[in-house]
Amino acid sequence: MNEDRRQGRRQWLGLTAAWATALAACKRATTVEDTGPRMLGTPVSAYGERSSFETAKRALPDTRYPETASSRTPLQDSCGMLTPSSLHFERHHAGVPKIDPAAHRLLIHGLVDRPTIFTMEELRRLPSSSHIYFLECAGNSSSEWGAKTGATATQSHGLASCSEWTGVPLSLLLSEAGVQKQAKWLIVEGADVCKMQRSLPIEKAMQDVLVAWGQNGEALRPEQGYPLRLVVPGWEGNINVKWLRRIQVVEEPYMVRDETSHYTDLMPDGTARVFTFVMEAKSLITYPSGGHKLKPGFCEIQGLAWSGRGRIARVEVSADGGRTWRDAALGEPRLDKAFTRFRLPWNWDGGEVELQSRATDDTGYVQPSKEALVAVRGLNSQYHYNGIKAWKVAADGSVSNA
């Protein structure tokens, strides 16, 4: 028996003992005391609400300008791969507009043979599809560039969520309008007060981009772009323009405000990378994570991984600060450009440890350490951080950012 097999057997035996201890700690009884309600419950309702005992909520910003703010998904409270619409992170630049879908229009014009205006009713009559994709703000984890990193999963990674989106492929709408040969880019624009604009390569638009009106089985929430938004799978959140009202087909990018003064990567030599659309492979241990309290014994480490390049192929977990790694089990289904939940059984012996996770996607890209990322990108950027996140478990069981 080689050393790897011996080590694996020792780990299995240790976990088996931990499970036995955990089960033994559960009190066994032959009868169950009836502690249920003594009165009739509430009647049926027109729209469901969660239990009053559930308190997970988005983290709101401490800012004097809430109309340009963001709220963060409580990833440490999540289960499975989908984010409830009510907990999906928010990011907007001029507040959430109130838009009547009956009056809303989508214009496609520019280098097209047939400039077209679609009503919401007309869009809904077209062939639609539903897909599960994550969305992540380019500024997610921006605090991780510095020395003082996010104290909780919400604070460090909460500008990422995953939903099922329903809509019509943008390629179908462009085909209907008749895109001309010289067209290479699109200018997509929202109906919010700031008229959010981004330049989108037409090659991507013809692949997998959705013009979406549905999220998680119902209409979009107003803060998610109701009644119409763009979903650009795997690319930075800002290009997924909400409250979509206009698409102009053009020959070249327009270098608008939010792809020049914002959402660019300032490099160590003073130059800036632009159009770095793809959100690279990333992972996060959500349990145990900052703010949790552990007891010695068995614990299932859980977390989320995602990649804008494709599907998650592997997640490794380290309990010794990255010196050694173990493969975590990956939840199914593992979808392209979607959250993947990972799990690893672990027996905590009560000593101080540092937990990390590392994701690899199906292109072979491996999530880098913070040191490796800074060596290439420097410390001048606030966007596209995907370095490994570490949690410190102290001897008293408290968990904090390492």
Side-chain angles (χ1 to χ4, degrees):
M1 183 183 294
N2 59 37
E3 183 57 32
D4 288 342
R5 292 182 63 187
R6 290 194 190 95
Q7 183 178 0
R9 179 174 173 79
R10 286 195 296 269
Q11 290 173 342
W12 172 251
L13 290 173
L15 288 171
T16 301
W19 286 333
T21 301
L23 289 172
C26 298
K27 293 182 179 180
R28 298 190 178 185
T30 57
T31 60
V32 178
E33 182 181 357
D34 183 4
T35 58
R38 295 294 189 271
M39 299 178 65
L40 291 176
T42 57
V44 296
S45 60
Y47 194 82
E49 301 288 343
R50 67 178 178 178
S51 167
S52 60
F53 296 100
E54 297 300 320
T55 59
K57 59 185 178 180
R58 290 185 291 225
L60 300 178
D62 180 14
T63 175
R64 293 173 296 167
Y65 308 104
E67 69 278 0
T68 61
S70 59
S71 65
R72 297 170 181 266
T73 297
L75 294 175
Q76 70 275 6
D77 298 323
S78 67
C79 57
M81 64 187 296
L82 293 178
T83 307
S85 299
S86 56
L87 295 177
H88 193 289
F89 82 90
E90 298 174 80
R91 178 70 176 102
H92 37 77
H93 296 249
V96 178
K98 184 176 182 179
I99 298 176
D100 180 355
H104 190 69
R105 301 291 185 269
L106 173 62
L107 166 66
I108 300 180
H109 67 131
L111 297 176
V112 296
D113 297 329
R114 298 173 295 278
T116 306
I117 296 176
F118 294 96
T119 67
M120 287 301 301
E121 181 182 2
E122 290 167 340
L123 289 170
R124 285 178 173 271
R125 289 171 56 190
L126 295 173
S128 63
S129 59
S130 298
H131 303 273
I132 295 175
Y133 295 124
F134 79 85
L135 282 185
E136 181 178 13
C137 177
N140 193 29
S141 307
S142 60
S143 63
E144 306 301 295
W145 287 109
K148 187 178 180 180
T149 59
T152 66
T154 298
Q155 292 171 357
S156 67
H157 287 65
L159 293 178
S161 304
C162 186
S163 292
E164 181 188 62
W165 306 98
T166 298
V168 59
L170 178 54
S171 59
L172 179 61
L173 303 183
L174 294 174
S175 298
E176 178 68 20
V179 174
Q180 297 174 2
K181 290 184 178 180
Q182 66 268 39
K184 302 296 181 184
W185 289 77
L186 306 177
I187 307 303
V188 293
E189 181 182 274
D192 47 346
V193 172
C194 70
K195 297 295 185 289
M196 172 60 66
Q197 292 182 336
R198 285 298 303 264
S199 300
L200 173 67
I202 202 166
E203 182 181 3
K204 174 68 172 177
M206 300 300 285
Q207 290 175 357
D208 55 5
V209 176
L210 276 181
V211 175
W213 57 78
Q215 179 184 10
N216 293 333
E218 62 178 0
L220 293 167
R221 299 293 175 97
E223 65 269 23
Q224 297 306 324
Y226 181 85
L228 200 65
R229 74 169 299 159
L230 212 59
V231 175
V232 186
W235 284 23
E236 62 184 5
N238 182 256
I239 204 169
N240 295 256
V241 170
K242 298 189 288 290
W243 313 292
L244 183 67
R245 65 178 291 270
R246 186 173 71 92
I247 299 174
Q248 183 177 358
V249 183
V250 296
E251 289 187 88
E252 58 187 7
Y254 272 23
M255 309 303 288
V256 298
R257 180 192 62 191
D258 282 283
E259 57 200 22
T260 52
S261 65
H262 301 292
Y263 302 101
T264 61
D265 302 318
L266 189 60
M267 303 298 284
D269 63 0
T271 61
R273 300 193 312 179
V274 297
F275 302 133
T276 48
F277 298 118
V278 176
M279 302 304 292
E280 304 282 13
K282 196 168 184 175
S283 67
L284 171 73
I285 293 173
T286 56
Y287 185 83
S289 60
H292 287 139
K293 185 89 170 182
L294 290 185
K295 294 181 180 180
F298 175 76
C299 167
E300 183 180 65
I301 296 173
Q302 289 196 35
L304 294 166
W306 60 96
S307 174
R309 291 169 171 258
R311 191 173 72 155
I312 292 297
R314 183 185 191 189
V315 175
E316 302 162 274
V317 173
S318 173
D320 55 13
R323 291 188 294 274
T324 62
W325 297 87
R326 293 174 57 197
D327 283 323
L330 301 181
E332 297 291 349
R334 282 184 294 129
L335 302 178
D336 188 64
K337 304 177 183 68
F339 276 3
T340 294
R341 185 162 290 277
F342 62 87
R343 296 176 170 87
L344 182 73
W346 178 53
N347 186 31
W348 182 47
D349 63 8
E352 184 176 299
V353 297
E354 183 178 301
L355 299 175
Q356 300 181 7
S357 64
R358 179 172 67 189
T360 302
D361 64 28
D362 59 2
T363 72
Y365 178 91
V366 181
Q367 181 182 5
S369 65
K370 178 178 181 177
E371 293 74 20
L373 197 61
V374 170
V376 175
R377 298 270 304 280
L379 291 171
N380 296 324
S381 180
Q382 60 176 320
Y383 300 111
H384 301 110
Y385 182 92
N386 70 317
I388 290 172
K389 176 70 174 180
W391 300 113
K392 175 185 174 182
V393 181
D396 65 358
S398 61
V399 184
S400 60
N401 52 322

